[in-house]
Amino acid sequence: MKRVSLTVFICLAVLSSIAFAQDSPIDKGSVMAGGGFSYTNYVDNDYSVITFDPSFNYFVTPGFSMGAALMFSRQSNGSTYSAYGIGPSFKYYIDVTKKRDQMKGTIYPYFGIEFMVMKESQDNYGYNSDRTTKGFALQWGIMTMVADNAGFFTELEYQSTKVEDYDSVKVFRIHGGFSYFIY
């Protein structure tokens, strides 16, 4: 039994070292997990918004990642509004440094697109409503590596969301967050 356990352990160690043998956090086979968090308080209107949007991506080629984006949001100003969503995410990172011994300090410009289907619920002083919305976001940003496997991102994002029975809602926002890379 010990021999079988040792063999399985050695095989898993060799496979994992092959799977994560990339030279850069944006190389093929790298995994990225991260997301942003925001809190907004509109003082004059006694209105606040909390948003958390994690994402998980896999680099299918050097610089190009595919994955899933999630979104959780809660707003309140006497009435409450909550939303959650999921959708595919595609990003392309530009490797301006090529090979480096150390990733800390490296800057990766990128652009991306995300699609999202969201479920929204609202309790407006006793009147409850639920609806589904669909949208997309175009992103342009910069990932700044603060360690060999971690970085902060800042991006400009254009969102367009189709709300049931309404016109599309279009928003520009500046967004930031943190990402962790396994490579």
Side-chain angles (χ1 to χ4, degrees):
M1 185 64 176
K2 288 182 182 181
R3 181 174 240 153
V4 171
S5 297
L6 181 61
T7 303
V8 169
F9 175 77
I10 290 171
C11 288
L12 288 174
V14 169
L15 287 175
S16 66
S17 68
I18 292 169
F20 298 110
Q22 294 77 20
D23 294 324
S24 162
I26 63 170
D27 274 350
K28 179 180 178 180
S30 294
V31 176
M32 178 179 64
F37 173 82
S38 67
Y39 173 79
T40 306
N41 185 11
Y42 299 89
V43 178
D44 292 339
N45 296 331
D46 191 28
Y47 184 79
S48 60
V49 180
I50 296 173
T51 303
F52 175 59
D53 50 0
S55 64
F56 307 93
N57 289 63
Y58 177 78
F59 285 84
V60 294
T61 64
F64 180 68
S65 70
M66 295 172 46
L70 305 169
M71 184 276 302
F72 305 96
S73 182
R74 182 157 177 87
Q75 303 173 14
S76 66
N77 66 340
S79 65
T80 58
Y81 165 88
S82 60
Y84 60 90
I86 187 169
S89 171
F90 306 93
K91 292 188 179 177
Y92 184 75
Y93 291 80
I94 301 164
D95 191 354
V96 294
T97 60
K98 301 302 174 200
K99 302 296 179 200
R100 288 183 59 146
D101 295 342
Q102 178 179 322
M103 292 297 118
K104 184 178 179 180
T106 303
I107 295 175
Y108 295 110
Y110 68 90
F111 56 91
I113 186 167
E114 291 179 351
F115 299 92
M116 186 79 58
V117 175
M118 295 166 282
K119 181 71 174 172
E120 300 177 342
S121 298
Q122 186 169 8
D123 179 3
N124 193 6
Y125 302 101
Y127 171 74
N128 297 324
S129 66
D130 293 327
R131 64 185 178 195
T132 302
T133 62
K134 299 174 186 173
F136 71 92
L138 299 174
Q139 304 153 333
W140 301 270
I142 296 173
M143 173 72 67
T144 303
M145 300 301 290
V146 295
D148 286 346
N149 58 352
F152 284 104
F153 65 87
T154 303
E155 67 188 18
L156 176 62
E157 184 174 88
Y158 168 78
Q159 298 175 343
S160 178
T161 305
K162 176 65 176 149
V163 181
E164 292 176 350
D165 302 325
Y166 296 100
D167 291 332
S168 293
V169 176
K170 294 169 178 51
V171 176
F172 275 103
R173 74 176 185 153
I174 296 175
H175 180 235
F178 180 79
S179 292
Y180 182 79
F181 295 84
I182 301 171
Y183 67 99

